[in-house]
Amino acid sequence: MTQNLVTKPFMEVLSGNRQASPPMWMMRQAGRYLPEYRATRAQAGSFLDLCFNAELAAEVTLQPIRRFGFDAAIIFSDILVVPYALGRSVRFEVGEGPRLDPLNSPDLVGTLNNAIDLSKLEPVFEALRIVRRELKPETTLIGFCGSPFTVATYMVAGQGTSDQHPARLMAYQHPGAFAKIIDVLVESSIAYLLKQLEAGADVLQIFDTWAGILPPREFEKWCIEPTRRIVEGIRKVKPGTKIIGFPRGAGALLPAFVERTGVDAVSIDWTAEPAFVREKVQTKVAVQGNLDPLLLIAGGSALDQAVDDVLHNFSAGRHIFNLGHGITPDASIAHVEQMIKRVRDYKV
C-alpha cells in the first residue's frame, strides 16, 4: 500500500472530515520534559547546534512519536532560524532566551537583507527528509514558521520582552520601517515553507505567539494581512496546501482571522470561550487545542475534567486535540500519558 492510500487522521480533519476520536499532538512535544530529549540536547551542545544538526533534529522530532504515538510530528526547529538565514546574528543565552542584533531604528532596518539564504536552512530540510522516511504513513509531518509579526518583535527588540513594546512602538512611530521588516519576513516565510513542503511536510503551521497584544486595527495590519499573503503565496505554488494559523490571544478577532487569511484550521489558546469558538470559528474551519499546559503539571482529577471539557466543547465538530500553547519543561510524562489515554478512549 502506498503512502498516498493510507488515511492520515490529522489530514482528514483538515480536509473537512471529523474523526470519532480526535487526532492529537502537542505543541513543543519534543522538549525538556523528555529525558531522551535532554540527552540528545546535551550531545548537540547549544540549542541552535541541535536545530542545525539534521540527524539530531530528526531524532528529537521522532522521540515523542515513538513514546506516545501522536498523530502528527512537528519538525524540531525554531522560529528565529528565519532571521538567521536573513543574515542576522541569532544566539540563545542559557537562562535568558534568544538574543539578536536589534533593528530598532529605520537606519538599522535599512541593513536588513531583502532575500533569505535558504542554503543556511538546509539542515532543517534534511531533517524533514529523514523524519519523512522514518514516520509511519498514517502520521502527519508538520512544517512551520513564526508569523512575520511575532518574528519581527524579536528582531526589533533583539530579545523577548514582557509585552514586546519595542516592535509595537516602531510600528506606530515608523510604520514604513516596520512594514519593511514585515514584507521581508512574508517573502522569506513563503520561500522557507515551500522548501519544507518539498522536503516532506504534509501541512504547515504559522505561529503568531504575540498576536494577542495588538489592538484591532493593528491586528488587521500586522497579523491578518501578512498571514493572508503567506497563505496566498504558498497556494499559488502549491494549490491545496493545508495551513494552520495560531494567532495566540486573538479572542474575538478569531473569526476575522479565519475569514480573511484562508487558513484550514486555527489553534486556540486555553482562554478562548468555547461557545464563541464553536459558533463563530469551528463552523468554518477545524479547531486545534486547547488544554492549559499547566494541567500536565497538575494531573489528577483536574486534568481529567479539563480534557473532558475540551472534548465536550469541540469534538462534535472538526477538532484536533492539542494544548493551548507549548508543553512546559516541568510537565509530567505520566500526566501526558493520562491525557492521551483519556482522549483516545473518547468517542463521539
Short mmCIF file of all heavy atoms in Angstrom, two decimals, residues 18-25 71 268 274 278 282 287-292 295 303-322 338-348:
data_model
loop_
_atom_site.label_atom_id
_atom_site.label_comp_id
_atom_site.label_asym_id
_atom_site.label_seq_id
_atom_site.Cartn_x
_atom_site.Cartn_y
_atom_site.Cartn_z
N ARG A 18 -14.63 15.10 10.09
CA ARG A 18 -14.49 14.92 11.54
C ARG A 18 -14.19 13.47 11.88
O ARG A 18 -14.73 12.55 11.27
CB ARG A 18 -15.79 15.36 12.23
CG ARG A 18 -15.69 15.37 13.75
CD ARG A 18 -17.06 15.56 14.40
NE ARG A 18 -17.95 14.45 14.12
CZ ARG A 18 -17.90 13.27 14.76
NH1 ARG A 18 -16.99 13.06 15.70
NH2 ARG A 18 -18.75 12.32 14.46
N GLN A 19 -13.34 13.26 12.88
CA GLN A 19 -12.98 11.92 13.32
C GLN A 19 -13.69 11.57 14.64
O GLN A 19 -13.88 12.45 15.50
CB GLN A 19 -11.46 11.82 13.52
CG GLN A 19 -10.65 12.17 12.27
CD GLN A 19 -10.88 11.21 11.13
OE1 GLN A 19 -10.41 10.08 11.15
NE2 GLN A 19 -11.63 11.66 10.12
N ALA A 20 -14.06 10.32 14.79
CA ALA A 20 -14.77 9.91 16.01
C ALA A 20 -13.92 10.15 17.25
O ALA A 20 -14.43 10.57 18.30
CB ALA A 20 -15.15 8.44 15.91
N SER A 21 -12.63 9.87 17.14
CA SER A 21 -11.68 10.20 18.20
C SER A 21 -10.72 11.23 17.61
O SER A 21 -10.06 10.95 16.60
CB SER A 21 -10.91 8.96 18.65
OG SER A 21 -9.96 9.28 19.65
N PRO A 22 -10.63 12.42 18.17
CA PRO A 22 -9.85 13.47 17.52
C PRO A 22 -8.37 13.12 17.45
O PRO A 22 -7.81 12.60 18.43
CB PRO A 22 -10.09 14.69 18.41
CG PRO A 22 -10.48 14.14 19.73
CD PRO A 22 -11.24 12.88 19.44
N PRO A 23 -7.72 13.37 16.32
CA PRO A 23 -6.26 13.21 16.26
C PRO A 23 -5.61 14.18 17.24
O PRO A 23 -6.22 15.20 17.62
CB PRO A 23 -5.92 13.56 14.81
CG PRO A 23 -7.06 14.37 14.32
CD PRO A 23 -8.27 13.90 15.06
N MET A 24 -4.39 13.86 17.66
CA MET A 24 -3.77 14.70 18.68
C MET A 24 -2.26 14.78 18.52
O MET A 24 -1.61 13.88 17.97
CB MET A 24 -4.12 14.19 20.08
CG MET A 24 -3.55 12.83 20.43
SD MET A 24 -4.10 12.24 22.08
CE MET A 24 -3.62 13.60 23.13
N TRP A 25 -1.72 15.90 18.97
CA TRP A 25 -0.29 16.10 19.15
C TRP A 25 -0.14 17.23 20.17
O TRP A 25 -1.15 17.74 20.67
CB TRP A 25 0.42 16.42 17.84
CG TRP A 25 0.05 17.74 17.19
CD1 TRP A 25 -1.12 18.02 16.55
CD2 TRP A 25 0.85 18.92 17.11
NE1 TRP A 25 -1.11 19.32 16.08
CE2 TRP A 25 0.09 19.89 16.40
CE3 TRP A 25 2.12 19.26 17.55
CZ2 TRP A 25 0.58 21.19 16.14
CZ3 TRP A 25 2.62 20.53 17.29
CH2 TRP A 25 1.86 21.47 16.59
N ASP A 71 -0.49 11.59 16.47
CA ASP A 71 -0.92 11.55 15.07
C ASP A 71 -0.13 12.49 14.18
O ASP A 71 -0.26 12.43 12.95
CB ASP A 71 -2.41 11.92 14.97
CG ASP A 71 -3.28 10.89 15.68
OD1 ASP A 71 -3.38 9.76 15.16
OD2 ASP A 71 -3.83 11.21 16.75
N ILE A 268 -6.27 27.45 19.12
CA ILE A 268 -6.80 28.37 20.11
C ILE A 268 -6.12 28.13 21.45
O ILE A 268 -5.80 26.99 21.79
CB ILE A 268 -8.33 28.24 20.24
CG1 ILE A 268 -8.73 26.78 20.50
CG2 ILE A 268 -9.03 28.77 19.00
CD1 ILE A 268 -10.21 26.59 20.81
N PRO A 274 -15.43 28.74 24.74
CA PRO A 274 -15.81 27.62 23.88
C PRO A 274 -17.02 27.86 23.00
O PRO A 274 -17.00 27.54 21.80
CB PRO A 274 -16.06 26.48 24.88
CG PRO A 274 -15.26 26.83 26.08
CD PRO A 274 -15.29 28.31 26.16
N ARG A 278 -17.07 27.61 18.97
CA ARG A 278 -17.93 26.65 18.26
C ARG A 278 -18.81 27.36 17.22
O ARG A 278 -18.96 26.88 16.10
CB ARG A 278 -18.82 25.90 19.26
CG ARG A 278 -18.13 24.81 20.02
CD ARG A 278 -19.16 23.87 20.65
NE ARG A 278 -20.16 24.55 21.44
CZ ARG A 278 -20.04 24.84 22.73
NH1 ARG A 278 -18.93 24.51 23.38
NH2 ARG A 278 -21.01 25.45 23.39
N GLN A 282 -15.50 27.27 14.52
CA GLN A 282 -15.49 25.85 14.15
C GLN A 282 -16.50 25.52 13.06
O GLN A 282 -16.36 24.50 12.38
CB GLN A 282 -15.73 24.99 15.39
CG GLN A 282 -15.31 23.54 15.21
CD GLN A 282 -15.52 22.72 16.47
OE1 GLN A 282 -16.30 23.09 17.35
NE2 GLN A 282 -14.82 21.59 16.56
N VAL A 287 -10.70 23.28 14.38
CA VAL A 287 -10.14 23.93 15.57
C VAL A 287 -9.12 23.00 16.21
O VAL A 287 -9.34 21.78 16.30
CB VAL A 287 -11.28 24.26 16.57
CG1 VAL A 287 -10.72 24.60 17.94
CG2 VAL A 287 -12.13 25.41 16.04
N GLN A 288 -8.01 23.58 16.64
CA GLN A 288 -6.95 22.81 17.29
C GLN A 288 -6.71 23.38 18.68
O GLN A 288 -6.54 24.58 18.86
CB GLN A 288 -5.67 22.89 16.45
CG GLN A 288 -4.49 22.15 17.04
CD GLN A 288 -3.30 22.15 16.10
OE1 GLN A 288 -3.14 21.23 15.33
NE2 GLN A 288 -2.47 23.18 16.15
N GLY A 289 -6.68 22.50 19.69
CA GLY A 289 -6.43 22.97 21.05
C GLY A 289 -7.28 22.20 22.04
O GLY A 289 -7.83 21.15 21.70
N ASN A 290 -7.47 22.77 23.23
CA ASN A 290 -6.85 23.97 23.76
C ASN A 290 -6.60 23.80 25.26
O ASN A 290 -6.91 24.67 26.07
CB ASN A 290 -7.71 25.20 23.49
CG ASN A 290 -9.04 25.20 24.25
OD1 ASN A 290 -9.62 24.15 24.54
ND2 ASN A 290 -9.52 26.38 24.57
N LEU A 291 -6.06 22.64 25.65
CA LEU A 291 -5.82 22.32 27.06
C LEU A 291 -4.74 23.24 27.64
O LEU A 291 -3.71 23.46 27.02
CB LEU A 291 -5.37 20.86 27.19
CG LEU A 291 -5.29 20.30 28.61
CD1 LEU A 291 -6.68 19.98 29.14
CD2 LEU A 291 -4.40 19.07 28.66
N ASP A 292 -4.99 23.75 28.84
CA ASP A 292 -3.99 24.56 29.54
C ASP A 292 -2.76 23.69 29.84
O ASP A 292 -2.88 22.66 30.52
CB ASP A 292 -4.60 25.09 30.84
CG ASP A 292 -3.69 26.05 31.58
OD1 ASP A 292 -2.48 26.11 31.28
OD2 ASP A 292 -4.19 26.75 32.49
N LEU A 295 -1.99 21.96 33.26
CA LEU A 295 -2.67 20.75 33.72
C LEU A 295 -1.79 19.52 33.58
O LEU A 295 -2.04 18.50 34.25
CB LEU A 295 -3.99 20.58 32.97
CG LEU A 295 -5.05 21.58 33.43
CD1 LEU A 295 -6.05 21.87 32.35
CD2 LEU A 295 -5.74 21.05 34.70
N LEU A 303 -6.92 17.38 35.64
CA LEU A 303 -6.55 17.09 34.25
C LEU A 303 -7.68 16.33 33.56
O LEU A 303 -8.06 16.67 32.43
CB LEU A 303 -5.26 16.28 34.22
CG LEU A 303 -4.82 15.75 32.85
CD1 LEU A 303 -4.65 16.89 31.84
CD2 LEU A 303 -3.52 14.95 32.98
N ASP A 304 -8.24 15.32 34.21
CA ASP A 304 -9.33 14.55 33.61
C ASP A 304 -10.50 15.46 33.25
O ASP A 304 -11.07 15.38 32.15
CB ASP A 304 -9.81 13.45 34.56
CG ASP A 304 -8.85 12.27 34.63
OD1 ASP A 304 -8.00 12.15 33.73
OD2 ASP A 304 -8.97 11.48 35.58
N GLN A 305 -10.88 16.31 34.18
CA GLN A 305 -12.02 17.20 33.95
C GLN A 305 -11.75 18.16 32.80
O GLN A 305 -12.61 18.40 31.95
CB GLN A 305 -12.35 17.98 35.21
CG GLN A 305 -13.55 18.91 35.05
CD GLN A 305 -13.90 19.63 36.35
OE1 GLN A 305 -13.47 19.22 37.43
NE2 GLN A 305 -14.67 20.69 36.25
N ALA A 306 -10.52 18.69 32.74
CA ALA A 306 -10.19 19.65 31.70
C ALA A 306 -10.15 18.99 30.32
O ALA A 306 -10.59 19.57 29.32
CB ALA A 306 -8.86 20.32 32.00
N VAL A 307 -9.61 17.77 30.24
CA VAL A 307 -9.62 17.03 28.98
C VAL A 307 -11.05 16.79 28.53
O VAL A 307 -11.41 16.99 27.36
CB VAL A 307 -8.86 15.69 29.12
CG1 VAL A 307 -9.09 14.80 27.90
CG2 VAL A 307 -7.37 15.94 29.32
N ASP A 308 -11.90 16.37 29.47
CA ASP A 308 -13.31 16.13 29.15
C ASP A 308 -13.98 17.41 28.65
O ASP A 308 -14.80 17.38 27.73
CB ASP A 308 -14.05 15.58 30.36
CG ASP A 308 -13.65 14.16 30.71
OD1 ASP A 308 -12.93 13.53 29.91
OD2 ASP A 308 -14.04 13.69 31.80
N ASP A 309 -13.64 18.53 29.27
CA ASP A 309 -14.21 19.81 28.85
C ASP A 309 -13.84 20.14 27.40
O ASP A 309 -14.69 20.54 26.61
CB ASP A 309 -13.74 20.94 29.77
CG ASP A 309 -14.42 20.94 31.13
OD1 ASP A 309 -15.45 20.23 31.28
OD2 ASP A 309 -13.92 21.63 32.04
N VAL A 310 -12.57 19.96 27.07
CA VAL A 310 -12.13 20.24 25.69
C VAL A 310 -12.87 19.33 24.71
O VAL A 310 -13.38 19.78 23.68
CB VAL A 310 -10.61 20.07 25.56
CG1 VAL A 310 -10.18 20.18 24.09
CG2 VAL A 310 -9.86 21.10 26.39
N LEU A 311 -12.94 18.06 25.04
CA LEU A 311 -13.61 17.10 24.15
C LEU A 311 -15.11 17.42 24.04
O LEU A 311 -15.67 17.38 22.94
CB LEU A 311 -13.41 15.68 24.67
CG LEU A 311 -11.96 15.18 24.63
CD1 LEU A 311 -11.83 13.87 25.40
CD2 LEU A 311 -11.49 15.00 23.20
N HIS A 312 -15.73 17.73 25.15
CA HIS A 312 -17.15 18.07 25.13
C HIS A 312 -17.40 19.33 24.30
O HIS A 312 -18.37 19.42 23.54
CB HIS A 312 -17.67 18.27 26.55
CG HIS A 312 -19.07 18.81 26.62
ND1 HIS A 312 -20.18 18.03 26.38
CD2 HIS A 312 -19.53 20.07 26.88
CE1 HIS A 312 -21.26 18.77 26.50
NE2 HIS A 312 -20.91 20.01 26.80
N ASN A 313 -16.50 20.29 24.43
CA ASN A 313 -16.69 21.57 23.76
C ASN A 313 -16.50 21.50 22.25
O ASN A 313 -17.19 22.21 21.51
CB ASN A 313 -15.72 22.61 24.34
CG ASN A 313 -16.14 23.10 25.72
OD1 ASN A 313 -17.32 23.20 26.02
ND2 ASN A 313 -15.16 23.40 26.56
N PHE A 314 -15.57 20.65 21.78
CA PHE A 314 -15.16 20.76 20.38
C PHE A 314 -15.27 19.49 19.55
O PHE A 314 -15.21 19.57 18.31
CB PHE A 314 -13.72 21.29 20.30
CG PHE A 314 -13.54 22.62 20.97
CD1 PHE A 314 -12.69 22.75 22.06
CD2 PHE A 314 -14.22 23.73 20.52
CE1 PHE A 314 -12.53 23.98 22.69
CE2 PHE A 314 -14.07 24.96 21.14
CZ PHE A 314 -13.22 25.09 22.22
N SER A 315 -15.41 18.33 20.16
CA SER A 315 -15.29 17.10 19.38
C SER A 315 -16.53 16.75 18.56
O SER A 315 -16.48 15.82 17.75
CB SER A 315 -14.93 15.92 20.31
OG SER A 315 -13.59 16.06 20.72
N ALA A 316 -17.61 17.49 18.71
CA ALA A 316 -18.75 17.27 17.81
C ALA A 316 -18.49 17.87 16.44
O ALA A 316 -19.19 17.55 15.47
CB ALA A 316 -20.02 17.88 18.40
N GLY A 317 -17.48 18.71 16.34
CA GLY A 317 -17.07 19.29 15.06
C GLY A 317 -15.67 18.84 14.70
O GLY A 317 -15.12 17.92 15.30
N ARG A 318 -15.10 19.51 13.71
CA ARG A 318 -13.73 19.16 13.30
C ARG A 318 -12.75 19.66 14.36
O ARG A 318 -12.66 20.85 14.62
CB ARG A 318 -13.42 19.78 11.94
CG ARG A 318 -14.17 19.12 10.79
CD ARG A 318 -13.91 19.82 9.48
NE ARG A 318 -14.55 21.12 9.44
CZ ARG A 318 -14.19 22.11 8.64
NH1 ARG A 318 -13.15 21.95 7.83
NH2 ARG A 318 -14.84 23.26 8.63
N HIS A 319 -12.01 18.71 14.94
CA HIS A 319 -11.19 19.05 16.10
C HIS A 319 -9.90 18.25 16.09
O HIS A 319 -9.89 17.05 15.79
CB HIS A 319 -11.97 18.76 17.40
CG HIS A 319 -11.21 19.09 18.65
ND1 HIS A 319 -11.14 18.23 19.72
CD2 HIS A 319 -10.49 20.18 18.99
CE1 HIS A 319 -10.42 18.78 20.67
NE2 HIS A 319 -10.00 19.97 20.26
N ILE A 320 -8.80 18.92 16.39
CA ILE A 320 -7.50 18.30 16.66
C ILE A 320 -7.16 18.61 18.10
O ILE A 320 -7.09 19.78 18.49
CB ILE A 320 -6.42 18.85 15.71
CG1 ILE A 320 -6.73 18.48 14.25
CG2 ILE A 320 -5.04 18.33 16.11
CD1 ILE A 320 -5.96 19.30 13.23
N PHE A 321 -6.98 17.58 18.91
CA PHE A 321 -6.69 17.80 20.32
C PHE A 321 -5.24 18.25 20.47
O PHE A 321 -4.33 17.62 19.94
CB PHE A 321 -6.94 16.54 21.15
CG PHE A 321 -6.95 16.80 22.63
CD1 PHE A 321 -8.14 17.00 23.30
CD2 PHE A 321 -5.76 16.87 23.35
CE1 PHE A 321 -8.16 17.25 24.66
CE2 PHE A 321 -5.76 17.13 24.70
CZ PHE A 321 -6.96 17.32 25.36
N ASN A 322 -5.05 19.31 21.25
CA ASN A 322 -3.72 19.85 21.46
C ASN A 322 -3.75 20.68 22.73
O ASN A 322 -4.80 20.81 23.38
CB ASN A 322 -3.29 20.71 20.26
CG ASN A 322 -1.78 20.81 20.10
OD1 ASN A 322 -1.04 20.98 21.08
ND2 ASN A 322 -1.31 20.68 18.87
N GLN A 338 -1.69 10.08 30.86
CA GLN A 338 -3.07 10.15 31.36
C GLN A 338 -3.96 10.90 30.36
O GLN A 338 -5.08 10.47 30.05
CB GLN A 338 -3.07 10.86 32.72
CG GLN A 338 -4.45 11.08 33.33
CD GLN A 338 -4.36 11.90 34.62
OE1 GLN A 338 -3.29 12.06 35.21
NE2 GLN A 338 -5.49 12.44 35.06
N MET A 339 -3.47 12.03 29.86
CA MET A 339 -4.23 12.82 28.89
C MET A 339 -4.47 12.03 27.61
O MET A 339 -5.60 11.99 27.09
CB MET A 339 -3.46 14.10 28.56
CG MET A 339 -4.05 14.93 27.43
SD MET A 339 -2.92 16.24 26.86
CE MET A 339 -1.69 15.24 25.98
N ILE A 340 -3.43 11.37 27.10
CA ILE A 340 -3.55 10.63 25.85
C ILE A 340 -4.59 9.52 25.98
O ILE A 340 -5.45 9.34 25.10
CB ILE A 340 -2.19 10.04 25.43
CG1 ILE A 340 -1.24 11.17 25.04
CG2 ILE A 340 -2.35 9.05 24.27
CD1 ILE A 340 0.20 10.72 24.85
N LYS A 341 -4.54 8.78 27.07
CA LYS A 341 -5.50 7.68 27.25
C LYS A 341 -6.92 8.20 27.26
O LYS A 341 -7.82 7.62 26.64
CB LYS A 341 -5.20 6.91 28.53
CG LYS A 341 -6.12 5.69 28.72
CD LYS A 341 -5.77 4.92 29.97
CE LYS A 341 -6.56 3.61 30.02
NZ LYS A 341 -8.02 3.79 29.86
N ARG A 342 -7.13 9.32 27.94
CA ARG A 342 -8.49 9.86 28.06
C ARG A 342 -9.00 10.32 26.68
O ARG A 342 -10.17 10.12 26.35
CB ARG A 342 -8.52 11.01 29.06
CG ARG A 342 -9.91 11.22 29.63
CD ARG A 342 -9.84 11.91 30.98
NE ARG A 342 -11.16 12.02 31.59
CZ ARG A 342 -11.67 11.13 32.45
NH1 ARG A 342 -10.98 10.06 32.80
NH2 ARG A 342 -12.87 11.31 32.98
N VAL A 343 -8.12 10.93 25.89
CA VAL A 343 -8.53 11.36 24.56
C VAL A 343 -8.78 10.16 23.66
O VAL A 343 -9.78 10.11 22.93
CB VAL A 343 -7.46 12.29 23.93
CG1 VAL A 343 -7.82 12.63 22.49
CG2 VAL A 343 -7.33 13.58 24.76
N ARG A 344 -7.87 9.18 23.68
CA ARG A 344 -8.01 8.01 22.81
C ARG A 344 -9.26 7.20 23.13
O ARG A 344 -9.85 6.57 22.24
CB ARG A 344 -6.78 7.12 22.93
CG ARG A 344 -5.46 7.74 22.46
CD ARG A 344 -5.49 8.11 21.01
NE ARG A 344 -4.15 8.38 20.50
CZ ARG A 344 -3.90 9.14 19.44
NH1 ARG A 344 -4.88 9.72 18.79
NH2 ARG A 344 -2.65 9.33 19.04
N ASP A 345 -9.66 7.20 24.40
CA ASP A 345 -10.83 6.42 24.80
C ASP A 345 -12.14 7.13 24.46
O ASP A 345 -13.22 6.53 24.51
CB ASP A 345 -10.81 6.15 26.30
CG ASP A 345 -9.76 5.12 26.69
OD1 ASP A 345 -9.25 4.43 25.78
OD2 ASP A 345 -9.44 5.01 27.89
N TYR A 346 -12.04 8.40 24.08
CA TYR A 346 -13.25 9.20 23.83
C TYR A 346 -13.78 8.94 22.42
O TYR A 346 -13.03 8.90 21.47
CB TYR A 346 -12.91 10.69 23.99
CG TYR A 346 -14.12 11.61 23.87
CD1 TYR A 346 -14.92 11.88 24.96
CD2 TYR A 346 -14.44 12.20 22.66
CE1 TYR A 346 -16.01 12.73 24.88
CE2 TYR A 346 -15.54 13.06 22.54
CZ TYR A 346 -16.30 13.32 23.65
OH TYR A 346 -17.39 14.16 23.56
N LYS A 347 -15.08 8.75 22.33
CA LYS A 347 -15.72 8.57 21.03
C LYS A 347 -17.00 9.39 20.99
O LYS A 347 -17.76 9.40 21.96
CB LYS A 347 -16.08 7.09 20.78
CG LYS A 347 -14.86 6.15 20.69
CD LYS A 347 -14.06 6.37 19.43
CE LYS A 347 -12.96 5.33 19.30
NZ LYS A 347 -11.92 5.43 20.34
N VAL A 348 -17.20 10.07 19.89
CA VAL A 348 -18.44 10.86 19.72
C VAL A 348 -19.51 9.96 19.11
O VAL A 348 -19.26 9.31 18.10
CB VAL A 348 -18.19 12.07 18.79
CG1 VAL A 348 -19.49 12.83 18.56
CG2 VAL A 348 -17.15 13.00 19.40
#
